Amino acid sequence: MSLEATLPRTPDLPAEEDLGAADERAWRDLLARISRQSVTKHFEAYVDVPWDDPAYAIDPSDPRFELPLTDSLGATAWYRALPQPQRARLGLHMIATFIKNGTQFENVLKRGLLEYGAELADGDPEFRYLYHEVIEEAQHSLMFQEFVTRTGLPVDPLPGYARWFARGLPRLARRFPELFFVFVLGGEDPIDHLQRVEVLRGRRWAHPLVQRISQIHVIEEARHLSFARAYLRRNVGRLGWFKRHMIRLRAPIILGNMARLMLEPSAQIVREYRLPRAVFNEAYRGNPIHARLRQDCLAKTRALCTELGLVTWPYDALWRGFGILRS
Ligand SMILES: [Fe+2]
Ligand SMILES: [Fe+2]
C-alpha cells in the first residue's frame, strides 16, 4: 500500500472535542473518553515510524524539502535564486528547527503537567488522563529528536530569553494552571495547524518521514487540545479579578511570542544562509500572506479566548500588536 493511502484525508482526522458549559458530568465523560482513546489509539516512536526504510531516508538536497511558492520565504526572489541543493537544505533546516522547538516545548509541557498532577486528590480522573498525555508527549519527543538527529544538521536550541522564560513555566502549572494551559494551546495549536493543513494536505513538506511524524502527532494532539480547551472553559470563569487581569494581560504576550518562534526562521538560519534583512522583512513583516498564516495558526485559541472574555479592551491592543487578532 502506498504511503498516501495510509494517510487520513484531513476531514477524517480526529477533531478536538469541545465542552459546552462548565458541566461536571460532561467534564468527567470527556476525561474518560480521551483516557480510553489513549489506550486504544496510541503510537510509539520506535514501532510506528519505519526509520530505516530506504523510502524514509533523509537527503538534505531532496527537492521535496524545498519551500513551495506558497511559503512566505519560498515565494521570495532571493530564495528562488539559490542553487537547488541550498534551497532544499534551507527548507529541511527550517523543518528541523520547527521540530526541535516542538521538542523543547513538549519538555516544558511534560514538566508542567507533572507539577500540576502532583497536587491532585486521590481518585481525580484528571490524574490518569494527564499521565497518558505525559507518556504521549514523551513518545513525540523521541520521534522529533530522532528526526532532528537524522537530518545531520546542527540545530540551535531556543534563544536564551525563551529558555529563561520556559524555566519558570512548570511552576506556573501549579500556581496558575489556567495561564499554563493558554501557553499549552500556544504551542500545540500552531504545530497542529501546520501539520494538518500544510503537511497532510500536501501543501508543503512532502517527504514521507515528515508526513508520517505529522500524521501520528495530529492524531494524538486532538486529545491534548480537547483537554486544554475544556480545562479553560471549565476554570477561567472561576478566576478572581486579579488572575483574570493577569491572564488577559499575559495570554497575548505568550501567544504572540510563541507564534513568532514557531513560524519564523531562527537566528541560526538567518546567519548560516546569509538571509538579507530586506528579504526577511519582505517575507515576515508586512507580508499579508504571512500575517494570515500567523492568525490562522492561532484561530481556535483566539476564538476560545474571545469566548471566555479575555480579548477585551484594553488588552485587545496587545493581540493587535502581536498581529494575532484577525482584523
Ligand atoms: Fe506532542
Ligand atoms: Fe500535545
Side-chain angles (χ1 to χ4, degrees), residues 11-218:
D12 295 329
L13 289 171
E16 303 99 49
E17 298 187 41
D18 270 337
L19 195 68
D23 177 332
E24 206 51 39
R25 171 103 183 262
W27 172 243
R28 286 182 168 262
D29 286 350
L30 174 75
L31 289 173
R33 210 160 41 245
I34 55 181
S35 294
R36 227 175 13 250
Q37 286 167 6
S38 288
V39 176
T40 56
K41 196 161 197 173
H42 66 269
F43 299 88
E44 287 193 35
Y46 291 102
V47 174
D48 296 300
V49 182
W51 295 105
D52 297 320
D53 183 329
Y56 285 67
I58 296 175
D59 167 5
S61 63
D62 188 328
R64 289 176 293 185
F65 291 126
E66 285 183 38
L67 302 173
L69 277 166
T70 50
D71 180 86
S72 308
L73 184 61
T76 62
W78 174 85
Y79 179 79
R80 309 255 49 108
L82 291 175
Q84 190 281 327
Q86 277 291 92
R87 285 203 302 272
R89 189 178 189 276
L90 196 162
L92 176 63
H93 216 152
M94 285 189 67
I95 300 173
T97 306
F98 176 70
I99 288 187
K100 180 152 175 165
N101 288 350
T103 312
Q104 295 189 294
F105 161 73
E106 288 182 345
N107 179 302
V108 176
L109 169 59
K110 287 191 286 277
R111 286 188 286 139
L113 293 177
L114 290 172
E115 187 88 24
Y116 175 77
E119 302 288 310
L120 294 173
D122 291 342
D124 190 323
E126 280 183 45
F127 182 91
R128 173 178 164 186
Y129 173 71
L130 290 174
Y131 271 73
H132 282 306
E133 184 165 326
V134 169
I135 293 163
E136 286 164 11
E137 294 296 9
Q139 290 291 343
H140 297 170
S141 296
L142 281 174
M143 188 168 74
F144 287 175
Q145 186 56 57
E146 182 67 34
F147 176 85
V148 173
T149 303
R150 281 176 185 247
T151 65
L153 298 173
V155 183
D156 277 357
L158 284 170
Y161 80 88
R163 296 207 306 280
W164 175 83
F165 177 72
R167 242 171 263 145
L169 282 167
R171 269 197 317 276
L172 188 69
R174 182 164 38 84
R175 287 202 225 134
F176 194 174
E178 294 79 8
L179 186 57
F180 178 76
F181 281 107
V182 168
F183 155 78
V184 170
L185 288 178
E188 291 190 333
D189 245 350
I191 294 178
D192 189 67
H193 176 82
L194 286 172
Q195 290 182 323
R196 270 176 195 262
V197 177
E198 304 291 340
V199 181
L200 297 179
R201 281 196 188 150
R203 280 182 23 197
R204 64 167 98 175
W205 304 346
H207 191 279
L209 183 55
V210 182
Q211 293 205 341
R212 180 64 179 152
I213 289 172
S214 300
Q215 180 196 36
I216 289 174
H217 200 241
V218 164

